[in-house]
Every structure is written in C-alpha cells, then in structure tokens.
Amino acid sequence: MKKHIFSCLTLAMVISSATLFAQTKAIAHRGVWKNSHLPQNSIASLKAAHELKLFGSEFDVHLTKDNILVVNHDNDFYGIDIATATYAELLAKKHPNGESIPTLEEYIKAGKKLKGLRLILELKTNKLGVERTLEAATKSVEMVKNLKAEKITDYIAFSFEACQKIHELAPKANIQYLNGDKSPADVNAAGINGLDYHFSVFKKNANWLQEAHQLGMKVNAWTVNTEEEMSNLIGQKIDFITTDEPELLLQVLKK
C-alpha cells in the first residue's frame, strides 16, 4: 500500500513538473518599458524584465557604418541613421534616462548578470542590403560566442537568409523566423527550429501552431497586448508570447 502511495505521489510530481515546463513563457518586447516609463531597448528596461521574473527579454541589433553592433529598435537613434553613422556619431544622442545607445557587447554583459533571464536577440534587416545583414548576423554570433553567452541567447530575424546564416554558424542555437510568410514545414526544412510570427498569422493559418509543434519546433507570437489574444494563444499551448504588457501577461498566466 505504501509503495502504491509513493508511486502515485511520484507520478503526480512528474505530471506537475511537465505541466510547469510546458506553460507558456513571457517575453518582454524591447524590455519592460511601457509601464515603467523606461526607454525601449535600454539596459534599464532589460533589468526591469529581470525584476519581473520574466522568461526573456527581446532586443534589436543593428550594425553601424564602422561595424559596431548596437541595440535599438528603429533604424535611427533619435534622428541619427544607424546604418550610415559611426558609433562615435551615435554617442551624440542619449536616451531620456541618460543612457547612450548600448553596444551589443554591453547589453549581453549586462544580461549575463541577470540570472534566469534569456536574451532574445533580434537581428534587424540592414537597409543597405543583404550583404550587410549577413555581416551583422556573423558578427552577432561571434559576439555571443566570445562572451560565452550561447546558453542564454536565442536569435530571431525577419530575414530568412539571416536565420539560415545564424544556423550555419551556430547549428545548436534556438532560431525563430519572424516574417510569417513561410509554413512550419518550409522553415523546419531550412534547419530553423522555431517560428515567431505576429499573432494574426496564426489566426489566418489556424493549423500552423499545431503543425510546428508536431515538427518539434518552438512557437512564439508577437506583439500580443490584450488579455483576449493572450488567453487564446495560451489555450493553444503556445511556447512563448512576446508583449509590451508583461505585467498583464503574468496575471493572465496565473489564471
């Protein structure tokens, strides 16, 4: 009888652990900035994501004219075009909180100190062409490796070529394609192990989320900011949700 009770308790613990592991995880879009009033993609917003105990924080990476990788969402930093400017020229402007534009090196070093937080590196498509985009991809992977941050860094990109390049350079890395124009099978065939599509794509292609899971792929949706859409995706057992409203998502996940 005691053995039977022990077996039941063990099974319950295993099921509980599996359920916890399978739960949808929250990712901050450009860090935690909206309700904290911090600059997007700032190191302060990255630290705020850690304070909320989120799974991860997404950030955007560009390559400057003089081949420095920097973190910012838009193609310009307060009016200075990143692709055609040097890093020194970008230092002429600052975020409202006093931070300069972070280099990727600075950002990753800060992230490594935030135990338990994954870094979701979005490689931005360079407006100067595919060659510069692929160069940025190569340099990003090299930076992650040099800083020994492979275990905490995932990659996402709108450029399919960039995703393929990252896979070539880091075949064990988690990589998710963003553009939403390819089926799970097509993405998987290229060696890319995840999808990260706008939530509307999964509404138009209702079977894609399940198909991706059947292929062993991880699935994320962006940028999900309403309780209705969050609940819908959680109900479909999506792996990750990227949001500007991480506080709301955490509340919904607790329900």
Side-chain angles (χ1 to χ4, degrees), residues 45-113:
S45 68
L46 176 67
K47 292 178 178 177
H50 181 255
E51 289 170 5
L52 272 183
K53 295 181 169 57
L54 301 176
F55 171 79
S57 188
E58 179 267 353
F59 58 99
D60 307 283
V61 176
H62 298 259
L63 187 64
T64 66
K65 179 182 178 180
D66 54 345
N67 296 324
I68 303 296
L69 295 165
V70 294
V71 177
N72 191 64
H73 178 263
D74 294 343
N75 289 326
D76 68 279
F77 185 65
Y78 298 105
I80 303 175
D81 183 67
I82 296 173
T84 58
T86 65
Y87 173 63
E89 289 170 337
L90 292 171
L91 293 178
K93 299 283 187 176
K94 289 185 181 294
H95 281 301
N97 70 340
E99 284 187 39
S100 297
I101 187 170
T103 63
L104 179 59
E105 181 176 7
E106 291 169 341
Y107 208 85
I108 291 176
K109 285 181 175 178
K112 286 183 68 177
K113 296 176 182 178

Side-chain angles (χ1 to χ4, degrees), residues 115-128:
K115 301 304 180 185
L117 182 71
R118 288 196 74 79
L119 304 178
I120 316 300
L121 190 164
E122 179 179 339
L123 183 79
K124 302 301 283 189
T125 303
N126 195 298
K127 71 173 192 177
L128 299 182

Side-chain angles (χ1 to χ4, degrees), residues 215-239:
L215 290 166
M217 304 172 76
K218 294 294 185 180
V219 184
N220 188 15
W222 58 270
T223 301
V224 187
N225 292 332
T226 68
E227 182 172 349
E228 179 184 0
E229 297 296 348
M230 291 172 182
S231 297
N232 177 44
L233 290 163
I234 292 167
Q236 296 180 66
K237 302 188 185 307
I238 197 164
D239 300 288

Side-chain angles (χ1 to χ4, degrees), residues 55 112 117-119 144-145 147-155 172-174:
F55 171 79
K112 286 183 68 177
L117 182 71
R118 288 196 74 79
L119 304 178
V144 170
K145 288 182 177 180
L147 294 177
K148 295 179 170 47
E150 297 103 313
K151 291 183 179 179
I152 63 167
T153 305
D154 299 333
Y155 298 91
K172 294 183 179 180
N174 293 320

Side-chain angles (χ1 to χ4, degrees), residues 129-148:
V130 174
E131 185 177 336
R132 287 296 280 171
T133 300
L134 297 182
E135 190 171 354
T138 300
K139 289 182 177 297
S140 294
V141 173
E142 289 174 351
M143 180 67 71
V144 170
K145 288 182 177 180
N146 289 341
L147 294 177
K148 295 179 170 47

